[in-house]
Amino acid sequence: MKGSTLFQVLAILSVIGSVLSKECTNTPTQLSSHSFRYQLLKSHNETWKQEMFAHYHLIPTDDSAWSDLLPRKILRQEADELSWSMMYKKMKNPGSFKVGGDFLKEISLHDVRLDSDSIQGRAQETNLKYLLMLDVDNLVWSFRKTANLPTPGKPYGGWEAPDIELRGHFVGHYLSATAQMWASTHNDTLKEKMSAVVSALSACQKKMGTGYLSAFPSELFDRFEAIKPVWAPYYTIHKILAGLLDQYTFANDAQALVMTTWMVEYFYNRVQNVIRTHTVERHWLSLNEETGGMNDVLYRLFAITGNPKHLLLAHLFDKPCFLGLLAVQADDISGFHANTHIPIVIGSQMRYEVTGDPLYKTISTFFMDIVNSSHSYATGGTSVSEFWSDPKRLASTLQTENEESCTTYNMLKVSRHLFRWTKEVAYADYYERALTNGVLGIQRGTEPGVMIYMLPQGRGVSKAVSYHKWGTPFNSFWCCYGTGIESFSKLGDSIYFEEEGSVPSLYIIQYVSSTLDWKSGKIVLNQKVDPVVSSDPYLHVTLTSSSKEGAEQSSTLNLRIPIWTSSKGAKATLNAQNLDLPAPGSFLQVKWSGGDKLTLNLPISIRTEQIKDDRPEYASVRAILYGPYLLSGYSSGDWDIKTGSTGSDADWISPVPASYNNHLVTFSQESSESTFVLTNMNQSIRMEKFPKAGTDAAIRATFRLIFDDTSEKISSIEEAIGKTVMLESFDFPGMVLVPQGTENNLVVTDPPNDTATSSFGIVHGLDGKDNSVSLESVTQKGCYIYSGVNYSSSIGMKLSCNSSSSSSEAGFSQATSFTMNNGLSAYHPISFVAKGRNRNYLMVPLQSIRDESYSVYFNMQP
C-alpha cells in the first residue's frame, strides 16, 4: 500500500468496525489498572514485570492464554461498500454532513457565577486555591527535559515523576481545569499562570520541530505501535490535546489551537504509517492499550476546523470491538476497565453530534441504560477496582476500591450529552445524583489539593484507609486528580441550558445558588437555594431577574421537577400567584419577563433503594437517600437496621433537631505536656490524645448533653454549668455514659431504667480554675468522673470518690477537672438517627464525610 493516502487505504478496507476488528482483548486485567501499572513500574522488580508482560496484548492465536480470558461476543457485520463509499465522500466534503438534531445549547461558563456560600461555591474556591498553588516550572519540567531545554524548578512526584511513563497527563488536565476555572471566575492570576504553561509548552514543541509534544520521548509510541509494553501514551496525548483545545475554547488562546493542529498532524502521520506498513487491524490491536478520549477530542477539533483529516483520525480511535458490542445491544461490558471505555463512548457521542449518524446515539443510550441499571451504585458511580463487575451482582463488590472518581467524571459527560439531545429529566436526575454524591465528596473539606482516587462503599470503610488514601497536593497526581481539578472548575456548566429562538427558552436542571447572565433572554437571573436541612423537609428555590438596560424580551423557563420529590405538598408561585405543578420527572414551564419572581418548594423525603443485585439473598441490602443526598451511617462495620412492621419511615429514622449542635461538647485535660480528650473507645470511656478534626477519633471525643429538663435550651455550653445531664455518645446515638459502680470503668450503653444513675451534675472544676468543670454523679454525691494523675498515654476512666481515691487531694482535683469546649464534631444540617438492631446510626450525607468510618448500604429488615 505504499504511496497510498490514509483516505485511500481506508476506502479499500470497508466500514470501520467491520469483522477486521475482531474481539477486544483489553490486555490482562491487572495491567489495565492504572494503580497496578504504577505499582509495577515503581517496583523495579524485573521478574515480576516479565511475568506480567508475558501475555501483553493477547491475540486469538495465543491459544493457551486466550482460553483463560472471558469469551467475548463476536460481532457479525457485513461490509456495505455502498455505505462506505458514501461515508468516504462525506469525509472528503465535510460540508455535506447533516448534524444530529436540535440539541439544547450549552450556557458558557463565562456567564454563570456560583454563590460563594453554596456547597459548589466552596468546592470551586478550594480548587482555585490548589490551581494557584501549583508552579509552572515544576509542571512543565519533564516537557522541557524531553525537548532538551533548560529545566528550572524541580519535577513533581507521583504520576508526574520523571520516571513514570504517564507523566504529562496531569498538565493536560491542568490546562483544561484552568481554562474552565478562568471562565468561571476570571481570576487574573490564574490567567497569567495558564498562559505561561501554554507558552512553555509551545517553546517545547517548536524546539522539537515535528509537532510532537509530550513529557516523554516519542519512543513510547514506537513501543505502542510495536505492541510492546508501554503505559498508555495516547492517554496522555489526549489530555494534552484536550487541555490545549480548552485553552482555545474558553480563553481564546489562538496559539493553543495552532499547537493542537500541529500535534494532530504528527499523530495522523504516525497512524498512517502503521496502516501503510502493517494493516488497519494492527492499529485496532494497539487500541487495546488505553487511549483516553482521543476520538472525543478529535471530533471536537473537527467541529472547529472542518479538516477531514481530523474526522478520519477520530474514526480511527473509535474502538470498534467495544462500540460494536453496544451497537448490537449486548450487555457484555463486565471485565472491561471502566475508565478506558467510557471516554470512547463519549467520543461516539461527539461522532453523532458532528455526523448525525443515529447509530452512535443508539450506542450511548444503550450504554447509559446498562451502566445505570446493572453496574451503578447508589452514588451514581460505577466500577470496582477500576473494572466493571458482573451485571446486577454489586452486593459482592462492596469494599474500599469502589467507584473510581474518573469514571464518575466521565459518566457525567455521557448523561450531559444525552440530556442535551433528549431533554429527558431522567438524565438530569442522574447528573444531580452523581455530582452530589460521587464528585462533591472527593475533596477533603476545604483543604486544597487533597482528594481521593476511589470512593469506598463497603461496610465500615473510610476514605482515609483505602488503597490510595487521601492524596497530597504535590506528590500524587493520579488520573483522578486530573479529572478532579476539572470537575471542580466547571461546576457551573450544567445548571442551565438554552434553546434559542424568537422566544428563547431556558432549562434549569440543577438547583444551585448562582447568577446567570442570560444573553439570549436579555436578563440577569438570580437563583437562590436555601441550604437543605433534615428538620425542614423541603427544597426552597427562589428565582428573580432584572432586565438589561433597554432590553425587553419575553422568554420561557423550564424547571426540572426531580423524580425524588412528590406532588403532595409541592408548591410553585409566580409573582405570588400559584402555578399548577406537573408530576415529578418532568418540567414546569413558565412564561418569564424581567422583574418576575418565582418560588418553588419541593418536598424531600427519606427513601431506600435496593442495591443492584438480583439475587434474593441480597434483597434487604439497601441505600438510604434524602432527596438527591445519599446518606452514610457512622459505622465500624455493623449495618443492621430494624425498619419496623408498619412501613412508616418514622418507625426507624428521625431527623436530628438543629438545636442539638448547641449541646455538643468535648472534655479535655492536660497531662504530661499533652492534651487528652474524653473518648468512647469500643463503648468504654478512656482519655485519648487530642484528635484531628474529621476523624473517627474526633467523633468518639464528642458527646451530646441530654438535660434532665428536656425542655432546656442553651445557646452556649457555658450555660450548661450547674445543669444535670446525661452524656450521649455522638457516634452511638441513644447510648449514654454509664458508671459501673465506683472505681470501675465507665461504659457507653443504653440508658438504665433509672436515668439518675447515668446522670451527672456539671459543676465548676474542683481544681478551682476559671475554665474548668467537673462531672459529679447525681446518685453518688462526692463521686466524679476521674482520669488519673500525670498519665502520658491512653487511660481508662472511672467514677471515683475523694474519700476512696489513693491520690492526694490536689491530685484528685486535677484528675476530675476538665476543660469543656464545643464538640470536635458537629451535626451536619442533614442529619438523621436510624434505629439499628444492636445500636443506632447517625446518618449524614456521604459528601460530608472526611476520614470517618461509614457504611452506605445497610441490611434493612423488619
Side-chain angles (χ1 to χ4, degrees):
M1 296 185 183
K2 288 184 178 180
S4 302
T5 68
L6 187 53
F7 279 124
Q8 291 168 334
V9 170
L10 289 175
I12 294 169
L13 284 172
S14 178
V15 179
I16 290 175
S18 70
V19 70
L20 287 172
S21 62
K22 296 190 175 140
E23 297 99 333
C24 283
T25 60
N26 196 37
T27 76
T29 296
Q30 287 177 297
L31 286 178
S32 298
S33 163
H34 281 257
S35 302
F36 183 85
R37 187 78 69 101
Y38 175 77
Q39 183 183 6
L40 179 67
L41 295 181
K42 291 293 284 187
S43 70
H44 305 296
N45 184 329
E46 295 305 318
T47 301
W48 188 26
K49 290 180 185 178
Q50 289 176 13
E51 178 185 349
M52 292 311 302
F53 288 129
H55 300 296
Y56 188 77
H57 282 295
L58 299 173
I59 58 175
T61 53
D62 297 321
D63 293 334
S64 61
W66 182 255
S67 63
D68 292 332
L69 292 182
L70 178 67
R72 296 279 165 209
K73 296 185 176 78
I74 300 178
L75 258 180
R76 288 184 64 253
Q77 294 183 343
E78 297 178 359
D80 185 337
E81 294 182 5
L82 178 61
S83 295
W84 171 251
S85 176
M86 292 174 64
M87 179 172 282
Y88 175 69
K89 289 177 181 178
K90 285 183 176 181
M91 284 188 287
K92 294 292 288 182
N93 181 20
S96 65
F97 277 112
K98 185 177 185 298
V99 296
D102 296 324
F103 308 139
L104 288 178
K105 183 181 176 183
E106 299 174 349
I107 294 286
S108 171
L109 281 170
H110 289 279
D111 297 330
V112 179
R113 290 294 176 265
L114 301 177
D115 186 331
S116 60
D117 291 330
S118 66
I119 295 171
Q120 291 82 356
R122 289 193 294 271
Q124 177 179 274
E125 179 64 22
T126 299
N127 193 47
L128 174 60
K129 290 177 181 177
Y130 180 46
L131 297 178
L132 292 172
M133 285 165 55
L134 296 170
D135 180 78
V136 172
D137 288 331
N138 296 353
L139 285 167
V140 303
W141 193 94
S142 289
F143 287 85
R144 286 172 170 159
K145 181 73 172 178
T146 299
N148 290 317
L149 288 172
T151 54
K154 60 181 180 180
Y156 283 125
W159 289 16
E160 283 296 307
D163 60 341
I164 298 301
E165 291 181 347
L166 213 66
R167 62 190 180 272
H169 79 102
F170 181 83
V171 177
H173 283 296
Y174 184 83
L175 289 172
S176 291
T178 52
Q180 295 168 65
M181 182 65 83
W182 180 73
S184 298
T185 64
H186 284 193
N187 182 285
D188 292 335
T189 305
L190 187 68
K191 179 72 180 296
E192 292 174 7
K193 181 161 285 195
M194 70 189 197
S195 297
V197 173
V198 173
S199 294
L201 296 183
S202 177
C204 294
Q205 189 182 39
K206 289 175 180 176
K207 177 66 165 58
M208 288 185 281
T210 62
Y212 182 74
L213 175 63
S214 186
F216 48 75
S218 60
E219 177 269 335
L220 269 67
F221 286 97
D222 297 339
R223 287 155 54 191
F224 177 87
E225 292 161 1
I227 320 297
K228 292 181 178 178
V230 66
W231 190 3
Y234 270 116
Y235 173 92
T236 295
I237 293 303
H238 161 241
K239 307 303 176 266
I240 298 169
L241 287 171
L244 290 171
L245 201 57
D246 285 335
Q247 287 288 322
Y248 170 73
T249 303
F250 291 102
N252 254 344
D253 191 328
Q255 179 186 28
L257 181 61
V258 172
M259 295 167 66
T260 304
T261 55
W262 197 13
M263 279 184 72
V264 170
E265 184 69 19
Y266 172 86
F267 287 106
Y268 179 92
N269 292 333
R270 285 204 76 123
V271 173
Q272 179 174 245
N273 185 61
V274 170
I275 295 173
R276 280 177 172 172
T277 306
H278 303 284
T279 63
V280 74
E281 186 176 17
R282 173 64 168 266
H283 170 71
W284 297 136
L285 183 61
S286 70
L287 298 190
N288 284 308
E289 181 63 67
E290 186 173 2
T291 59
M294 281 295 295
N295 58 346
D296 177 40
V297 72
L298 290 165
Y299 285 123
R300 287 177 55 207
L301 180 62
F302 169 72
I304 294 169
T305 66
N307 186 333
K309 283 186 175 181
H310 301 159
L311 178 66
L312 189 56
L313 192 57
H315 286 339
L316 284 166
F317 280 95
D318 286 331
K319 190 173 182 177
C321 62
F322 182 71
L323 295 181
L325 292 172
L326 302 176
V328 297
Q329 303 203 355
D331 183 356
D332 194 24
I333 67 175
S334 302
F336 277 103
H337 185 256
N339 205 53
T340 294
H341 295 90
I342 304 172
I344 293 168
V345 174
I346 297 167
S348 77
Q349 291 182 304
M350 282 305 301
R351 179 168 180 164
Y352 169 59
E353 292 202 6
V354 301
T355 70
D357 187 338
L359 172 64
Y360 295 91
K361 178 182 179 182
T362 301
I363 283 173
S364 64
T365 302
F366 176 71
F367 173 75
M368 186 74 190
D369 287 347
I370 61 172
V371 172
N372 221 3
S373 64
S374 303
H375 300 275
S376 289
Y377 300 103
T379 56
T382 187
S383 78
V384 53
S385 297
E386 302 187 17
F387 294 83
W388 281 307
S389 60
D390 290 339
K392 296 185 179 179
R393 291 291 186 274
L394 294 193
S396 302
T397 71
L398 299 178
Q399 51 161 278
T400 60
E401 305 307 300
N402 297 119
E403 190 172 344
E404 182 184 359
S405 299
C406 290
T407 63
T408 309
Y409 160 89
N410 279 313
M411 287 302 297
L412 287 173
K413 288 187 174 184
V414 175
S415 64
R416 190 174 188 268
H417 279 297
L418 289 168
F419 174 74
R420 287 180 50 243
W421 301 345
T422 66
K423 306 175 194 171
E424 290 184 17
V425 171
Y427 296 125
D429 283 338
Y430 172 85
Y431 196 98
E432 177 186 50
R433 177 192 289 249
L435 180 67
T436 300
N437 303 298
V439 172
L440 290 176
I442 69 171
Q443 291 175 320
R444 192 182 190 278
T446 55
E447 297 179 43
V450 181
M451 293 179 281
I452 53 173
Y453 192 121
M454 300 286 189
L455 184 55
Q457 300 190 39
R459 294 166 55 181
V461 293
S462 169
K463 298 173 184 177
V465 295
S466 60
Y467 175 78
H468 294 88
K469 306 180 177 63
W470 290 106
T472 59
F474 308 118
N475 203 39
S476 294
F477 300 111
W478 312 314
C479 52
C480 297
Y481 256 59
T483 54
I485 61 173
E486 285 194 49
S487 290
F488 294 114
S489 293
K490 59 175 185 174
L491 290 170
D493 81 340
S494 296
I495 303 172
Y496 308 99
F497 294 91
E498 68 175 342
E499 282 180 317
E500 294 180 328
S502 57
V503 179
S505 186
L506 184 71
Y507 284 78
I508 303 174
I509 73 163
Q510 303 298 323
Y511 294 114
V512 178
S513 290
S514 55
T515 301
L516 167 65
D517 181 359
W518 188 24
K519 292 182 169 56
S520 298
K522 299 180 181 178
I523 60 171
V524 175
L525 183 72
N526 294 295
Q527 180 183 173
K528 175 65 177 174
V529 183
D530 292 350
V532 175
V533 297
S534 49
S535 56
D536 177 18
Y538 284 87
L539 176 70
H540 300 286
V541 182
T542 304
L543 296 175
T544 57
S545 70
S546 57
S547 298
K548 296 183 178 180
E549 187 175 349
E552 287 295 333
Q553 171 72 61
S554 60
S555 57
T556 302
L557 302 189
N558 300 274
L559 289 82
R560 177 177 65 102
I561 307 301
I563 197 64
W564 47 256
T565 191
S566 66
S567 298
K568 184 179 180 180
K571 184 178 181 180
T573 65
L574 178 63
N575 302 324
Q577 299 296 312
N578 289 337
L579 300 174
D580 292 331
L581 274 167
S586 53
F587 282 99
L588 167 64
Q589 190 174 84
V590 179
K591 299 298 181 183
W592 190 264
S593 299
D596 284 347
K597 178 180 180 179
L598 183 144
T599 63
L600 182 64
N601 299 311
L602 298 176
I604 306 177
S605 61
I606 289 287
R607 70 186 190 283
T608 66
E609 291 182 358
Q610 183 183 342
I611 193 169
K612 291 184 172 61
D613 197 306
D614 57 10
R615 292 171 289 183
E617 60 266 36
Y618 296 110
S620 62
V621 179
R622 306 184 74 83
I624 305 168
L625 296 100
Y626 180 65
Y629 297 94
L630 174 63
L631 300 181
S632 56
Y634 293 131
S635 163
S636 58
D638 36 358
W639 71 327
D640 292 313
I641 285 181
K642 187 174 182 179
T643 59
S645 58
T646 68
S648 171
D649 292 338
D651 285 348
W652 62 274
I653 192 166
S654 58
V656 174
S659 62
Y660 278 11
N661 268 325
N662 294 332
H663 303 172
L664 295 177
V665 296
T666 292
F667 296 98
S668 62
Q669 207 175 60
E670 302 294 324
S671 182
S672 301
E673 299 183 351
S674 295
T675 302
F676 292 82
V677 289
L678 193 74
T679 301
N680 172 19
M681 288 294 293
N682 299 318
Q683 295 183 253
S684 177
I685 297 297
R686 306 185 67 81
M687 294 302 289
E688 300 286 345
K689 288 286 185 69
F690 195 94
K692 180 181 179 181
T695 61
D696 284 338
I699 284 178
R700 294 170 185 148
T702 302
F703 296 84
R704 180 171 74 91
L705 303 178
I706 302 177
F707 294 99
D708 184 45
D709 179 358
T710 56
S711 64
E712 187 78 52
K713 292 184 179 180
I714 61 173
S715 57
S716 67
I717 59 170
E718 290 76 18
E719 296 175 20
I721 297 175
K723 311 289 186 186
T724 298
V725 301
M726 289 191 293
L727 299 177
E728 180 186 68
S729 180
F730 184 81
D731 61 332
F732 277 71
M735 292 189 179
V736 298
L737 189 155
V738 179
Q740 303 294 294
T742 59
E743 305 305 320
N744 293 318
N745 285 348
L746 301 167
V747 299
V748 172
T749 187
D750 293 324
N753 292 331
D754 181 5
T755 58
T757 61
S758 58
S759 297
F760 298 88
I762 302 179
V763 300
H764 288 287
L766 298 186
D767 62 2
K769 294 181 180 179
D770 290 339
N771 62 343
S772 71
V773 298
S774 295
L775 298 164
E776 183 181 20
S777 169
V778 168
T779 56
Q780 300 183 68
K781 295 297 184 181
C783 298
Y784 299 84
I785 292 181
Y786 176 95
S787 57
V789 180
N790 296 325
Y791 56 92
S792 58
S793 60
S794 174
I795 185 172
M797 301 294 289
K798 59 187 178 180
L799 188 70
S800 185
C801 308
N802 197 6
S803 60
S804 63
S805 173
S806 60
S807 63
S808 66
E809 183 173 342
F812 182 83
S813 297
Q814 176 187 335
T816 55
S817 298
F818 305 87
T819 300
M820 182 172 66
N821 289 315
N822 291 318
L824 288 173
S825 297
Y827 295 113
H828 189 275
I830 302 172
S831 291
F832 292 86
V833 172
K835 294 180 180 179
R837 292 192 175 276
N838 301 310
R839 54 158 295 188
N840 297 336
Y841 302 94
L842 179 59
M843 311 292 298
V844 298
L846 177 60
Q847 65 171 229
S848 69
I849 294 284
R850 288 181 282 178
D851 298 357
E852 303 94 338
S853 298
Y854 64 89
S855 299
V856 294
Y857 285 98
F858 291 86
N859 178 32
M860 303 184 67
Q861 298 189 33

